Amino acid sequence: MLPADRRAWEEIRRREIAAILIGEPHHDPEMMAAEKSFLSSAFSHGARVLVIEYPRSHQSELDRFLRNPTYKNLAWAIAGERTPEQLGKSPRERAAAIEEIAARHEAVGEKNRKKIEALALTSAEIAAATATVEKYRLWEAADRIGYRVIGGDLGPERGIDGHGHRVSHPTIEETFRYRWSPYGMRERNEALADTIATAFHSHGLTIAIVGAAHAGFLPEERLDPQAPSPNTYPGLNFLLADRFGLSSLAIVRSRVSRQGYLAQIGLRILSPDHSRESLDGQTKILLQQDPFRVLADDPSRPLESALPQALEKQKESAAPVVLQPPTPQPQPGVFFNRR
């Protein structure tokens, strides 16, 4: 460990930092390898809880996988992240979906070429399944290190229609619309902040791995740099400080690897028309809107090396600021009706 990194951990203890947020490009095996290394180091410095972007209402499925990481249990845990539309409504449809999820991820996870060919998976679908297996293996590794792995997100049962109104049985599109709306980000960050605060008060220093857009110190973060003021949401670091009086750090990455890019296409998060270069550029511009996040985009450097700068940025974020008049808080229906 470099002397600067050692001093950073000492400073984290001295300043009673409650949480370190790692903001990732989702489904990126390169990022997950960096996170695994960071988790090992953080555990040696006292971290004992890992909060993840997994539905807290399905913690039992996650725990079952962590206790017995078979592909069948992996399939049940993955099902906890999916909508009824994806799984089917009848018990028979759901059972068939679980079998298909297990078969697909076992074929890819074990690199069984014959089974992969039999499933006729595209390169993007293979990348998506690979990234999903790696994500759960990361969580399993954290559990083996000694972390209590806790889901802190809201579940897939929440959605909003094209007019921004809540729907009781959302489609995949309506679920994604909710998750990536300022309204959805606000509610999800509130849930994550509550989980992180509870974990800290019970076990001390907590690590959270979330999407990079969740992390942030501003009361008005944006998914679109040009979004007007009402179409914003509070950053997760802001909520931890404002609601719970807790100090936290944010280390984020805007750059996605080629495999991570293919995985996002396979998971239908991205369109194939959206180039990797433009994705990286747009994400970097978005993340730089918050000056207190620390970008750790060099894959050759460990995430731990960003801790000294993250500590400085956290100190700057806590400095007195000139308060602006409060803006109206968004309600369902606002975001998709605005022109």
Side-chain angles (χ1 to χ4, degrees):
M1 181 187 297
L2 296 174
D5 297 341
R6 186 178 297 110
R7 288 194 298 271
W9 286 113
E10 292 170 356
E11 184 75 359
I12 286 169
R13 283 192 293 272
R14 187 185 69 79
R15 284 166 49 180
E16 297 183 335
I17 299 296
I20 302 173
L21 275 55
I22 304 298
E24 63 173 16
H26 284 320
H27 315 293
D28 190 337
E30 184 180 274
M31 181 65 175
M32 287 185 264
E35 289 165 341
K36 183 178 179 180
S37 177
F38 182 85
L39 287 171
S40 295
S41 183
F43 189 83
S44 70
H45 291 281
R48 290 296 180 269
V49 178
L50 171 63
V51 174
I52 57 175
E53 209 174 301
Y54 183 87
R56 55 187 184 179
S57 58
H58 290 276
Q59 184 70 38
S60 61
E61 288 93 327
L62 177 62
D63 287 341
R64 179 165 57 180
F65 167 75
L66 294 174
R67 287 194 303 268
N68 183 18
T70 65
Y71 284 102
K72 186 67 172 289
N73 286 342
L74 171 65
W76 278 107
I78 292 171
E81 300 185 84
R82 297 194 174 179
T83 67
E85 181 188 21
Q86 293 172 291
L87 298 172
K89 296 180 180 180
S90 72
R92 178 177 293 182
E93 289 175 326
R94 187 177 180 85
I98 294 295
E99 291 297 331
E100 190 279 329
I101 294 170
R104 174 182 295 229
H105 289 86
E106 182 175 7
V108 172
E110 299 302 315
K111 298 181 172 60
N112 189 313
R113 183 174 298 177
K114 288 185 177 180
K115 289 184 178 180
I116 291 172
E117 290 175 352
L119 291 168
L121 300 178
T122 67
S123 59
E125 288 172 331
I126 293 170
T130 300
T132 301
V133 170
E134 290 301 312
K135 178 178 74 172
Y136 279 88
R137 283 177 176 168
L138 171 65
W139 298 345
E140 180 197 351
D143 180 74
R144 281 189 278 104
I145 289 170
Y147 282 94
R148 175 73 174 109
V149 183
I150 300 175
D153 202 358
L154 299 177
E157 69 279 356
R158 293 172 180 246
I160 49 181
D161 62 22
H163 300 290
H165 301 132
R166 282 188 182 277
V167 291
S168 56
H169 300 289
T171 64
I172 300 170
E173 180 183 355
E174 288 166 341
T175 296
F176 272 110
R177 187 183 289 122
Y178 168 80
R179 294 178 70 81
W180 287 102
S181 70
Y183 181 70
M185 289 291 286
R186 171 184 294 276
E187 290 195 332
R188 294 173 66 205
N189 270 2
E190 288 170 345
L192 286 162
D194 180 71
T195 304
I196 293 168
T198 300
F200 169 73
H201 288 304
S202 299
H203 302 285
L205 179 62
T206 297
I207 309 301
I209 295 179
V210 295
H214 286 277
F217 293 85
L218 303 180
E220 293 189 349
E221 299 286 358
R222 288 169 166 79
L223 293 169
D224 177 355
Q226 306 302 319
S229 189
N231 285 7
T232 60
Y233 62 95
L236 187 45
N237 300 81
F238 171 81
L239 288 174
L240 288 169
D242 184 63
R243 296 195 175 186
F244 302 99
L246 300 178
S247 299
S248 60
L249 311 180
I251 300 171
V252 301
R253 180 167 293 182
S254 66
R255 176 188 172 277
V256 65
S257 71
R258 172 170 171 74
Q259 283 303 108
Y261 169 72
L262 284 175
Q264 292 191 31
I265 291 175
L267 291 163
R268 300 181 182 177
I269 297 171
L270 285 179
S271 163
D273 298 330
H274 201 135
S275 74
R276 180 183 162 200
E277 292 73 19
S278 66
L279 173 65
D280 286 351
Q282 291 171 9
T283 304
K284 188 169 186 176
I285 290 171
L286 172 67
L287 295 178
Q288 287 177 328
Q289 298 294 307
D290 184 333
F292 308 116
R293 298 171 175 136
V294 173
L295 278 176
D297 276 352
D298 185 349
S300 69
R301 301 193 63 186
L303 296 173
E304 196 172 12
S305 67
L307 286 174
Q309 187 182 3
L311 283 162
E312 287 301 313
K313 292 293 185 181
Q314 189 279 329
K315 189 183 296 183
E316 292 173 15
S317 76
V321 295
V322 178
L323 295 178
Q324 299 297 321
T327 56
Q329 296 303 307
Q331 298 296 325
V334 169
F335 310 111
F336 302 100
N337 292 329
R338 279 190 181 274
R339 296 188 182 275

